[in-house]
Amino acid sequence: MSTEVLDILDAAAHSRFVQRVRRRYGAERELLPPGRPTADSLSACLSALRATRELPSALRVLRQLVLERLAVLDCTQGAPLATITEGMTLLGEFCLAEALAAGEAELQAQHGRPRDAAGLPIAFWVLGMGKFGARELNVSSDIDLIYVYEEEGETDGGPAGRPLAASEYFGRLAKKLYALIGEVGEDGQVFRMDLALRPNGNSGAPCVSLSQLEAYFVSQGREWERLAWLKSRVVAPRDASSLERALQLRSLVTPFVYRRYLDYSVFEGLRTVHRKIREEAQRRAAGRPERANDVKLSRGGIREIEFIVQLLQVVRGGQFPEIRTRSTLKALDKLAAAGLMKPELAALLAQDYQLLRRIEHRIQYLDDQQTHVLPQGDADLRWIAETLGMSCRPEACELLERLCETRERVAAEFDALLHDGRPRSPCKGCGSEAVLLEQAEFHERLPEGLREAVRSFAERPRVQGLREESRQRLAQLFLRAGQCIERGECSSEAGARFVDWLEPLLRRDAYLSLLTERPAVLARLLRLLGLARWPMRYLMRHPGVIDELADERLLHERFDAAEFRNELAERQAAWQRAGEAQDEEALLDALRRAHHAEVFRTLVRDVEERISVEQVADDLSLLADALLQTTIEWAWARHTKAHRPDPRFAVIAYGKLGGKELGYGSDLDVVFLYDDEGESDPDAALEAYTSFVRKLVPWLTLQTRAGGLFDIDTALRPNGSSGLLVSSLKSFAAYQQGRGSNTAWTWEHQAITRARWCAGHEGLRAAFDAVREAVMTAPRRPADLLAEVLAMREKLRAAHPVRSGRFDLKHSPGGMLDCEFALQALQLMHSAAHPELLPNLGVIALLQRAEGAGLLPAGVGRASADAYRELRRAQHRLRLDEQATQCPEESLGSLAAHRDAVRALWQAVFPAC
């Protein structure tokens, strides 16, 4: 066979490193079985090598043998990337464990064991960083390590005499690890060791205690170090006891890497680091064009994919623990699943990452050198290409074409994410140059409406007291807002509202950083602020939700309750996997942030007129249902008096929530029921559920750092505010159906027409529906019923007086309440004969059914249904713009006909009025 044709039976044989191993260690090769290395095969091979070699030499030969086996697996057998990286990671862990055991045995024989003040052994951990920590180690990679010990103390003392301080002992241990792993000997070295990522870098101590590490994180930890620590992992020792004690280390690292808030401040730190990396790569390539093909450090290389992933994780991982993972490929999947990256982009970047890593491995197989630069020789290039299923000839090289295409795509995505704070759309004069907020020439660059607002804003003491960097960032934001106004992308009113919205956030740099880094978010925010006033109020209360504007799916999707609950469940599971003991306040914050984000998404779709008023109410009601269900589950799991795994407990929704007509600021009218008929001690069950409701209500109503969730009204429970917080289903049924002396009023029967099971144990749904149906179909004297409904309507009207000559969309005669009361009267009078009125379908559908059943004159039901829809729509729009829902009778316009339609309905149901 020609030497110019790849030997498909032994493709790895082209590697000069593989050739050297086979020549020099032919006999030793038989000690390591072909295929993927395992802990057992490594241990057996090392034991056999130790029969004739000292540990340092045996470890080095073992490493050569493993690399040769991996080269065959990779280049000849086409093993997946994960097989190679996991094999190298296993080798690193195994060799460090052997070296650590040998180093500790030698030191303890001389000086004894290091102990704390209580006489307990002090733990020591070797942390793997970068690809080692992520289990993604290269075949010729160095290993980035940090040495951490538990606390200060000293050794027992031993034959060598005086005890050593813990810091000195572990410093000596670090030197022994270097001698066993990092020093170059006759058989090479096991791994190049790099400790530069430790606190204070190369000028710092080789080992740090937990307290020293914590102090460094608090006072000196830099933004780019958070990305490095994201991948940190204990790689030695790996026994269960050591890993359990290392949980205290994780409790320091996690809050350093992941902040509780959206954190865009890391962008600038990473931008600086990346700029230095690119400049260094360009410097090294100057005059040597072959170095431009560095698959790791050059533009569009491996490092940029890793930066994209880590940046998104650090920014959002504090609030969304489900995206936390050390692995780059797993992180891409998680980011796509969380909606933080388009699935198709995540798939492309994963494909690109694997290609670049496989090319990198082949470069390193050639001579076992830590290089990432493509070779210049045609034969080597052809070998790399053909082991990847591509061709490479002098006249056309598919490998180089694919590499160029891949790097361009990666670089484009990286530049889009880390764009030096400059918008990608044309925006002259609002880049990263220094601009002074208070200068007159700066104000002159703004459109007239925005100019006055900014001038007044800049004169405020709070603004003048900001750091110069923050004032410059504000100036850049105002310049971009001005450009949006001039391009007609938003109104001048939006610009003025933007200035007002920013003032409460002046000390919260995270949000200013977000808007600076995400110009598209700023543009969408400005448009939103121009459409209505209420969004600005909501954004002032919950500024963190503006990041939702970055999601392009925002306008094109609807709320999905099952997906929402799954995301919350995954978030909680991720916290547990991360070992973060979530206190109740953290869970309450998580519920609130999730709710605020979903409300904001619905709000944006609403003001952009992508969904109708009815769809807004549907989505907000479904969201409340989902939140109630998750809150019940999380609170019951932490209820100290829980007497069964799953509570037979339900939330019954009344009012707007019951009718699925919830608005943005609506209270939740609810009643709590339980059904523990099988329990031997009914009093104990009542006590358990009562204490649970006392826990549940604060979970739903408390104001935490993340804000509020709901206002809860339980006045509709049996006997109102004087009744029990939670009722058994049996007692609730007796109360509603008039069995006994304690019975419901007619207005309570009116309320139950709009009631429904909305959360809790599914088994109570049908039972409640049966009670509701029994109440609605009970025989009644029509005249008495109408009189009582009318009396309640007058009582409400008196509580909400409307001045003469004005019309209130809800409370005036011909308003929405008249529709609701008329319908309730019809349902309570006629549901027994007309069961089509029983389902809780909402006012509009039920009015149409009432006409269809002949209970209303022809046209009245449909006209009043249309009127109710239009009155709701008008009320909704007015509230969004924070305008009064009362108007002069003479200015009703088209609403006058709808008012008259409701009055016709009222006359049809209450003819004597």
Side-chain angles (χ1 to χ4, degrees):
M1 181 180 295
S2 169
T3 57
E4 294 187 0
V5 178
L6 176 66
D7 184 350
I8 60 172
L9 299 178
D10 189 11
H14 177 87
S15 159
R16 293 174 286 278
F17 163 72
V18 168
Q19 294 168 19
R20 290 196 300 271
V21 171
R22 291 175 178 178
R23 284 196 304 269
R24 184 170 181 180
Y25 301 111
E28 288 86 347
R29 278 183 71 214
E30 304 304 318
L31 300 176
L32 184 67
R36 186 174 187 167
T38 65
D40 288 342
S41 67
L42 294 179
S43 181
C45 183
L46 183 65
S47 296
L49 291 169
R50 289 295 305 278
T52 57
R53 296 172 181 269
E54 294 297 320
L55 180 61
S57 174
L59 289 174
R60 283 154 177 76
V61 174
L62 176 64
R63 185 256 183 194
Q64 310 268 12
L65 299 179
V66 169
L67 258 66
E68 189 271 344
R69 295 302 191 200
L70 291 177
V72 172
L73 275 172
D74 194 352
C75 301
T76 303
Q77 300 176 15
L81 174 65
T83 298
I84 309 305
T85 55
E86 289 168 7
M88 283 303 301
T89 302
L90 175 64
L91 174 67
E93 292 174 352
F94 178 83
C95 292
L96 275 171
E98 292 291 329
L100 183 59
E104 286 191 311
E106 183 178 344
L107 280 173
Q108 288 177 21
Q110 296 172 346
H111 305 286
R113 189 166 190 176
R115 298 182 184 276
D116 61 19
L120 299 175
I122 299 173
F124 175 79
W125 304 285
V126 180
L127 271 61
M129 309 291 282
K131 291 185 173 63
F132 195 13
R135 295 186 171 90
E136 299 171 336
L137 207 56
N138 289 339
V139 291
S140 293
S141 178
D142 58 0
I143 50 176
D144 295 302
L145 302 177
I146 294 177
Y147 300 130
V148 180
Y149 60 95
E150 199 168 19
E151 59 183 305
E152 300 299 340
E154 61 181 22
T155 63
D156 298 325
R162 69 176 181 86
L164 294 179
S167 57
E168 184 178 355
Y169 173 89
F170 291 120
R172 294 188 183 190
L173 180 57
K175 290 180 180 179
K176 290 192 175 295
L177 289 176
Y178 179 77
L180 289 167
I181 301 292
E183 283 187 352
V184 179
E186 183 182 347
D187 298 295
Q189 63 185 162
V190 187
F191 287 100
R192 288 172 290 275
M193 302 171 74
D194 190 341
L195 305 183
L197 290 175
R198 68 187 186 271
N200 297 304
N202 291 328
S203 63
C207 309
V208 294
S209 67
L210 285 176
S211 61
Q212 291 169 339
L213 181 62
E214 181 177 22
Y216 179 81
F217 282 161
V218 170
S219 63
Q220 300 182 59
R222 289 160 292 183
E223 297 297 342
W224 67 263
E225 289 180 285
R226 294 168 56 200
L227 275 71
W229 279 91
L230 182 153
K231 290 179 177 283
S232 64
R233 178 176 64 91
V234 174
V235 294
R238 297 285 301 165
D239 60 278
S241 175
S242 295
L243 292 177
E244 183 176 358
R245 293 176 73 177
L247 291 177
Q248 55 190 315
L249 173 62
R250 183 165 60 182
S251 70
L252 297 182
V253 173
T254 299
F256 173 64
V257 174
Y258 299 110
R259 307 291 161 83
R260 283 180 176 264
Y261 49 84
L262 285 173
D263 183 17
Y264 279 79
S265 60
V266 71
F267 271 70
E268 190 55 43
L270 179 57
R271 190 175 286 127
T272 300
V273 171
H274 180 259
R275 192 178 297 122
K276 290 179 180 177
I277 291 173
R278 273 197 178 173
E279 287 172 357
E280 175 63 15
Q282 290 168 359
R283 184 191 63 78
R284 293 169 60 192
R288 301 186 64 182
E290 71 277 3
R291 288 189 173 273
N293 273 325
D294 187 316
V295 297
K296 178 180 179 180
L297 300 179
S298 291
R299 183 174 184 273
I302 295 167
R303 180 60 55 82
E304 294 194 353
I305 298 178
E306 293 170 340
F307 276 175
I308 290 171
V309 169
Q310 291 170 267
L311 191 56
L312 293 174
Q313 286 181 290
V314 167
V315 168
R316 299 298 295 263
Q319 292 186 9
F320 300 93
E322 62 270 29
I323 67 173
R324 300 179 193 174
T325 180
R326 299 177 184 92
S327 164
T328 300
L329 290 173
K330 290 179 182 177
L332 285 166
D333 288 339
K334 290 178 179 290
L335 289 169
L340 301 177
M341 181 180 288
K342 293 180 181 178
E344 56 271 23
L345 173 59
L348 279 173
L349 288 178
Q351 172 186 303
D352 294 341
Y353 180 77
Q354 293 187 76
L355 175 63
L356 292 169
R357 289 295 307 274
R358 296 184 75 196
I359 293 173
E360 176 186 44
H361 281 171
R362 280 150 179 75
I363 293 170
Q364 295 174 350
Y365 287 137
L366 286 169
D367 296 292
D368 189 25
Q369 295 295 310
Q370 189 189 9
T371 179
H372 318 280
V373 178
L374 280 176
Q376 293 299 292
D378 290 345
D380 288 345
L381 278 175
R382 185 165 60 251
W383 175 75
I384 291 174
E386 292 178 348
T387 58
L388 292 170
M390 291 181 268
S391 63
C392 190
R393 299 286 185 273
E395 62 276 9
C397 184
E398 183 184 359
L399 170 67
L400 295 179
E401 292 172 1
R402 280 281 304 278
L403 182 58
C404 181
E405 174 189 331
T406 295
R407 287 177 50 191
E408 283 299 318
R409 177 165 54 239
V410 171
E413 291 302 326
F414 184 85
D415 290 342
L417 183 64
L418 209 70
H419 50 74
D420 283 345
R422 295 184 177 89
R424 280 175 280 169
S425 58
C427 181
K428 296 179 182 178
C430 51
S432 59
E433 78 276 8
V435 286
L436 298 177
L437 188 63
E438 59 277 5
Q439 287 189 339
E441 56 260 38
F442 163 68
H443 299 150
E444 292 304 316
R445 295 164 67 183
L446 301 175
E448 183 176 354
L450 181 61
R451 183 186 310 148
E452 294 306 315
V454 171
R455 182 180 288 120
S456 173
F457 176 85
E459 292 172 353
R460 294 169 191 171
R462 289 186 66 212
V463 177
Q464 293 177 348
L466 293 174
R467 293 179 292 114
E468 182 178 352
E469 178 187 355
S470 296
R471 295 202 311 276
Q472 287 186 4
R473 186 178 287 148
L474 284 168
Q476 289 178 30
L477 292 176
F478 292 141
L479 283 172
R480 292 181 190 167
Q483 291 283 338
C484 286
I485 293 170
E486 289 172 349
R487 290 196 298 267
E489 296 171 3
C490 68
S491 64
S492 295
E493 189 176 13
R497 289 176 184 171
F498 177 60
V499 176
D500 291 340
W501 176 76
L502 277 175
E503 185 172 6
L505 304 177
L506 291 179
R507 302 292 178 182
R508 303 173 76 173
D509 278 349
Y511 300 115
L512 300 184
S513 297
L514 185 157
L515 293 172
T516 304
E517 300 297 342
R518 308 298 292 271
V521 171
L522 174 61
R524 291 172 190 155
L525 172 64
L526 287 165
R527 173 172 167 76
L528 180 65
L529 292 176
L531 293 174
R533 289 188 179 91
W534 197 80
M536 183 180 78
R537 200 77 56 211
Y538 192 81
L539 284 162
M540 282 181 169
R541 293 202 301 268
H542 311 298
V545 300
I546 58 173
D547 194 53
E548 298 299 325
L549 292 170
D551 190 345
E552 294 182 1
R553 302 173 302 174
L554 179 66
L555 293 177
H556 309 294
E557 296 184 355
R558 292 278 303 279
F559 174 69
D560 185 321
E563 182 180 342
F564 176 79
R565 293 209 345 102
N566 286 338
E567 287 178 359
L568 282 174
E570 289 172 7
R571 198 157 301 151
Q572 187 189 34
W575 273 321
Q576 293 171 346
R577 287 194 303 271
E580 296 179 43
Q582 286 296 306
D583 57 20
E584 290 194 359
E585 185 179 358
L587 293 176
L588 265 60
D589 285 346
L591 292 170
R592 282 149 179 74
R593 284 192 294 264
H595 179 253
H596 300 159
E598 286 297 339
V599 169
F600 182 66
R601 291 177 187 136
T602 300
L603 174 61
V604 174
R605 295 168 193 141
D606 181 9
V607 297
E608 290 280 4
E609 298 185 352
R610 299 301 180 98
I611 54 178
S612 67
V613 174
E614 290 83 359
Q615 289 173 322
V616 170
D618 286 345
D619 287 358
L620 292 176
S621 301
L622 286 172
L623 173 59
D625 292 355
L627 253 298
L628 286 167
Q629 186 66 46
T630 296
T631 305
I632 289 170
E633 293 170 3
W634 287 10
W636 185 261
R638 290 156 183 81
H639 181 39
T640 57
K641 294 185 179 180
H643 62 298
R644 58 191 304 154
D646 298 306
R648 288 189 59 81
F649 171 88
V651 179
I652 307 302
Y654 279 73
K656 294 294 185 185
L657 178 59
K660 294 186 178 179
E661 295 180 354
L662 209 61
Y664 293 113
S666 299
D667 296 351
L668 302 190
D669 295 303
V670 295
V671 168
F672 302 114
L673 300 180
Y674 73 93
D675 182 20
D676 263 6
E677 285 295 317
E679 291 293 324
S680 58
D681 188 348
D683 291 338
L686 175 59
E687 181 181 355
Y689 288 118
T690 300
S691 63
F692 175 59
V693 170
R694 290 199 179 103
K695 182 185 188 71
L696 180 65
V697 171
W699 271 55
L700 295 168
T701 58
L702 276 178
Q703 289 282 333
T704 72
R705 289 173 302 181
L709 196 56
F710 299 113
D711 289 326
I712 300 292
D713 189 340
T714 60
L716 289 171
R717 67 186 188 271
N719 298 305
S721 57
S722 63
L724 298 174
L725 273 176
V726 59
S727 303
S728 70
L729 183 65
K730 183 177 180 180
S731 67
F732 177 80
Y735 177 82
Q736 292 288 346
Q737 294 173 253
R739 297 196 297 268
S741 58
N742 185 29
T743 62
W745 297 83
T746 297
W747 66 264
E748 292 177 278
H749 290 171
Q750 287 180 247
I752 209 172
T753 63
R754 304 188 76 188
R756 63 184 177 87
W757 176 101
C758 72
H761 196 286
E762 184 68 33
L764 274 71
R765 184 197 294 262
F768 169 76
D769 287 346
V771 174
R772 176 177 176 273
E773 181 175 340
V775 169
M776 292 177 65
T777 57
R780 293 176 174 85
R781 294 181 59 186
D784 292 345
L785 173 68
L786 291 175
E788 292 182 49
V789 172
L790 188 58
M792 178 54 65
R793 179 69 189 95
E794 290 302 324
K795 185 176 181 180
L796 279 178
R797 189 167 289 155
H800 297 86
V802 180
R803 284 184 300 158
S804 176
R806 297 187 68 81
F807 180 76
D808 186 296
L809 298 176
K810 180 177 180 179
H811 293 287
S812 290
M816 290 184 290
L817 269 182
D818 281 359
C819 274
E820 295 169 8
F821 270 66
L823 174 63
Q824 291 160 11
L826 290 173
Q827 287 178 287
L828 292 176
M829 282 192 297
H830 300 294
S831 287
H834 296 279
E836 63 268 31
L837 298 181
L838 286 170
N840 192 347
L841 301 176
V843 173
I844 295 171
L846 288 170
L847 284 172
Q848 293 170 346
R849 286 192 174 198
E851 180 181 328
L855 303 176
L856 292 171
V860 169
R862 293 189 179 278
S864 57
D866 291 342
Y868 188 79
R869 178 185 293 111
E870 293 307 315
L871 289 169
R872 272 187 68 194
R873 185 174 297 160
Q875 181 196 54
H876 184 73
R877 292 298 165 201
L878 289 168
R879 286 179 172 175
L880 275 180
D881 210 30
E882 295 186 335
Q883 297 182 37
T885 56
Q886 291 186 8
C887 55
E889 291 269 4
E890 62 270 16
S891 64
L892 279 177
S894 61
L895 289 180
H898 296 303
R899 175 203 58 194
D900 294 342
V902 175
R903 288 177 175 176
L905 168 68
W906 189 260
Q907 287 297 318
V909 178
F910 299 95
C913 299

